Amino acid sequence: MGKGQQDRAGDSDPREGRGVRGPGRRLRGAVANKVGIAILAGKYAPGDVLPGEVAAAEELEVSRGAYREAMQVLAAKGLVESRPKTGTKVLPRERWNLLDPEVLAWAFAGEPDARLVRSLFELRLVIEPAAAAFAAQRRTSAQLRQMREALGLMRRHSLATEEGRVADREFHDALLQATMNDALIAISASIGSAVSLTTTYKQRTHKLPRDPIPDHARVLDAVAAGDAEAAAAAMRVLVELALEDTNVVMAARGTDGVDSQSAGLTGL
């Protein structure tokens, strides 16, 4: 099959073993998705050299150009490094851009490791209580309305639905926007992805252990009241309970959970 024919071929699930094909950007993204998931799942460890360009392109049934572009995508996210004589090597974990929403999605495509889950909850605990306090002091009426609307949609649809999870992400995004802090706003996509992916993960095989919407309501009440201390405390509880829920699910699925003390969640 020629390159033009390959580029016109239909997409297939990038998690499938073969047939990762599709036009242009979708083709490159599908290949990057498949290899990225393999790296995050541990199929390729740091230091491993990926299959050569010719062999990999043939296995995936894509052009060498498409495979090369996909490796450039992974390189931009810190996952791999390509050199002329040594090939494409998986970089050390500390080089990975784990806050990239796409990298996070690859990590949660399978069973995320406890280290990553711990890292995400530690990040949320550091960022979100402080963000809630800032939001209580600085939020506008429009931002408060956005949070209320998002909470209303969460209640209407529940977090068991895609609509509810989108609303959950919008709630956290609106809160970060309300901090009026450009640095915090800049990582809102990463925080939103962490919230959304962990919520989705918890519901793959089980219902949510409990309803977290009342926790969000307490955060909103404190932000609306302009009480920075109460807002920070309510958000801290929200994150801690979300970790407990995640541990319940990970234990049920036979995955080691994250100890709350080792995750830095106690005493903060």
Side-chain angles (χ1 to χ4, degrees):
M1 180 183 292
K3 181 178 183 299
Q5 291 174 298
Q6 288 179 336
D7 288 347
R8 289 190 296 272
D11 285 331
S12 62
D13 188 341
R15 290 167 293 184
E16 297 287 330
R18 298 179 64 83
V20 182
R21 298 183 289 183
R25 186 177 301 175
R26 285 190 299 165
L27 174 61
R28 178 188 65 195
V31 175
N33 188 61
K34 178 178 175 64
V35 180
I37 288 174
I39 292 173
L40 270 295
K43 180 178 179 180
Y44 299 112
D48 285 353
V49 177
L50 298 181
E53 182 179 291
V54 174
E58 290 180 354
E59 179 182 353
L60 295 171
E61 297 182 345
V62 298
S63 69
R64 292 174 61 184
Y67 182 78
R68 194 179 307 120
E69 290 178 358
M71 293 305 101
Q72 292 172 354
V73 171
L74 298 182
K77 298 178 186 298
L79 296 182
V80 303
E81 181 179 63
S82 297
R83 294 187 175 180
K85 295 184 178 180
T86 59
T88 301
K89 181 182 296 186
V90 179
L91 289 173
R93 185 186 178 104
E94 57 266 24
R95 297 277 299 277
W96 299 356
N97 185 1
L98 289 173
L99 292 184
D100 184 298
E102 195 167 23
V103 175
L104 285 175
W106 293 339
F108 279 85
E111 286 291 330
D113 63 73
R115 176 181 172 182
L116 175 61
V117 175
R118 180 191 67 218
S119 297
L120 291 175
F121 277 104
E122 285 181 346
L123 174 68
R124 290 188 60 190
L125 188 71
V126 168
I127 297 296
E128 291 191 275
F134 287 138
Q137 296 168 330
R138 304 171 181 173
R139 87 295 186 279
T140 66
S141 57
Q143 290 162 340
L144 197 58
R145 183 170 61 252
Q146 289 175 336
M147 293 179 66
R148 284 186 174 129
E149 289 174 352
L151 182 62
L153 289 172
M154 290 165 64
R155 284 172 168 155
R156 182 185 308 168
H157 298 290
S158 86
L159 296 185
T161 68
E162 179 63 23
E163 294 87 350
R165 291 189 292 271
V166 169
D168 184 18
R169 184 166 182 162
E170 291 174 347
F171 179 94
H172 289 268
D173 182 68
L175 185 140
L176 286 169
Q177 294 287 334
T179 66
M180 304 297 186
N181 181 299
D182 291 340
L184 289 174
I185 293 171
I187 63 171
S188 61
S190 300
I191 295 295
S193 292
V195 170
S196 179
L197 289 166
T198 52
T199 301
T200 301
Y201 167 76
K202 285 182 283 191
Q203 298 182 89
R204 283 183 188 168
T205 56
H206 298 80
K207 292 182 179 179
L208 283 175
R210 59 180 189 84
D211 181 8
I213 293 177
D215 305 327
H216 291 74
R218 282 185 280 274
V219 171
L220 177 56
D221 288 344
V223 170
D227 190 334
E229 185 176 349
M235 181 60 81
R236 184 175 295 112
V237 170
L238 186 156
V239 177
E240 289 174 344
L241 290 176
L243 173 59
E244 290 181 13
D245 294 343
T246 303
N247 276 334
V248 168
V249 173
M250 292 179 79
R253 298 181 66 162
T255 305
D256 290 337
V258 183
D259 179 73
S260 61
Q261 186 169 359
S262 69
L265 297 180
T266 59
L268 292 178

